[in-house]
Amino acid sequence: MRILILGGTWFLGKAVATAAQSRSWHVTTFNRGRSAPDLPDVQAVHGDRTSPSDLRQLAEHGPWDLVVDTSASEMAPKQVLDGAHALAAVAARYVYVSTVNAYTGWPNEPLTEASETYQAPPDAQRDFGIEHGTTVHYGMQKAGCENAVRSAFKERATILRPGVILGPGEYVGRLPWWLRRAERGGPVLAPGHPQAAVQPIDVRDVAAFALDAPAGEFNLAAPRGRDTMGDLLGACLRVTGNRGHLVWASDDVLTEHGVREWTELPLWRTAPGTWAVETHRARAAGLVCRPLADTVADTWAWLEAGEGPVAHPRWDDHGIAPTKEAEILAAAPD
């Protein structure tokens, strides 16, 4: 098998490349060569996917059995469309990694693949939908990128809509922040309720599914009802040496103290559909999700190895200031 990965040097793209190499596939990666070093034993092609000439040169390295697109998070639909058209004649299938943000109901409603997505043309520019605010704009852009891939590859297109992806190499800083906070020990401010559901999925499980997924649309998340916030934070404490203990503060208390959802206490969000993503279709097609405790342990091992994440501005958005945490802890029952 010959695979082209758009991206391929960090987090999900790296995980896809590693999984493909473990199967003895021939791996080509295409990126600008700026974020992280190329993996050993891949055919690395450097270029800008927004450049028509670079895309033409990339196509000359084909053909490929599969394209996996992991690097379009900040791209306009028109840019994805141009790239997909450039590859349509030299690739048998195209897997586009989108997001649950493409659904109009996320994070307020439970989701299935039949849920409504935003409407956006495949040739939309970067400002399409910007008047609706940041969240809707992002969702509309992702929906437009999905349409761009379908426009070029039609029945050969696969759309993956993951929720939160965690695991070794994470660049956003959600799980790494919790692990470092658990390592510091003492009373640890825990958000909401220990039985509150969570559905993060391991990056390696997304990567494995991307290699085998058939055409169609698939939500990717851990099974509903399997994991809780208590499971997640308890695992963080265990792997870091049980130096601390959890002090739970209700959603109301955290809101009263102005705690920013999703970032100050990473993965905490009160919207009812945040962790209500149905994944029956993906599991029927072969998705397997490893235990959350394994994701936590392996991420800690990666952090302790000192490799560190790729530099990314989102890392600095996560985590509550110690003084603010102490203030809330002082007001919370222990």
Side-chain angles (χ1 to χ4, degrees), residues 23-324:
R23 303 182 183 191
S24 299
W25 290 11
H26 181 276
V27 178
T28 302
T29 58
F30 179 67
N31 53 68
R32 293 175 299 175
R34 299 176 185 175
S35 298
D38 297 309
L39 293 182
D41 302 320
V42 304
Q43 181 183 25
V45 181
H46 290 163
D48 189 333
R49 58 182 294 183
T50 66
S51 164
S53 61
D54 287 357
L55 290 171
R56 286 193 295 270
Q57 292 176 14
L58 171 64
E60 293 174 358
H61 291 273
W64 295 281
D65 301 291
L66 176 66
V67 175
V68 179
D69 187 349
T70 67
S71 67
S73 61
E74 303 300 328
M75 299 189 71
K78 179 61 164 63
Q79 295 170 322
V80 174
L81 180 67
D82 291 343
H85 276 305
L87 297 172
V90 293
R93 295 174 50 237
Y94 194 117
V95 173
Y96 174 68
V97 182
S98 183
T99 169
V100 292
N101 293 73
Y103 289 112
T104 61
W106 193 86
N108 297 311
E109 303 170 4
L111 298 175
T112 72
E113 287 87 356
S115 299
E116 180 184 7
T117 57
Y118 288 103
Q119 297 299 307
D123 59 351
Q125 298 291 349
R126 194 72 186 95
D127 60 352
F128 182 85
I130 198 168
E131 67 276 11
H132 298 292
T134 301
T135 300
V136 174
H137 174 237
Y138 181 65
M140 295 180 80
Q141 289 284 305
K142 300 305 287 187
C145 291
E146 294 179 6
N147 287 332
V149 173
R150 293 192 196 94
S151 176
F153 276 78
K154 299 181 171 56
E155 72 281 355
R156 297 180 291 144
T158 299
I159 307 298
L160 306 183
R161 298 189 186 114
V164 171
I165 305 175
L166 302 178
E170 185 199 333
Y171 64 91
V172 177
R174 293 166 173 144
L175 181 53
W177 185 85
W178 277 117
L179 285 163
R180 290 303 186 193
R181 177 61 192 90
E183 180 188 27
R184 292 205 310 270
V188 177
L189 181 62
H193 191 278
Q195 295 305 314
V198 295
Q199 280 185 283
I201 186 169
D202 192 287
V203 62
R204 295 161 293 183
D205 299 332
V206 176
F209 187 76
L211 298 184
D212 295 323
E217 303 172 6
F218 301 91
N219 295 335
L220 300 184
R224 287 186 66 179
R226 190 190 71 172
D227 302 315
T228 67
M229 185 64 80
D231 295 331
L232 174 66
L233 300 188
C236 289
L237 289 173
R238 287 193 298 276
V239 301
T240 57
N242 287 311
R243 297 184 177 93
H245 65 279
L246 301 175
V247 179
W248 294 90
S250 70
D251 295 342
D252 290 343
V253 168
L254 297 176
T255 301
E256 288 169 5
H257 283 83
V259 177
R260 294 192 311 274
E261 295 188 26
W262 212 231
T263 54
E264 274 196 291
L265 291 176
L267 304 175
W268 169 66
R269 196 162 189 165
T270 60
T274 303
W275 304 111
V277 179
E278 194 51 72
T279 60
H280 286 315
R281 182 181 294 179
R283 285 185 282 131
L287 174 66
V288 177
C289 294
R290 71 193 66 205
L292 179 58
D294 290 356
T295 301
V296 172
D298 293 345
T299 303
W300 177 242
W302 164 72
L303 284 173
E304 285 293 273
E307 183 177 348
V310 170
H312 196 281
R314 293 181 69 183
W315 188 275
D316 295 330
D317 293 338
H318 292 84
I320 191 169
T323 53
K324 187 172 183 178

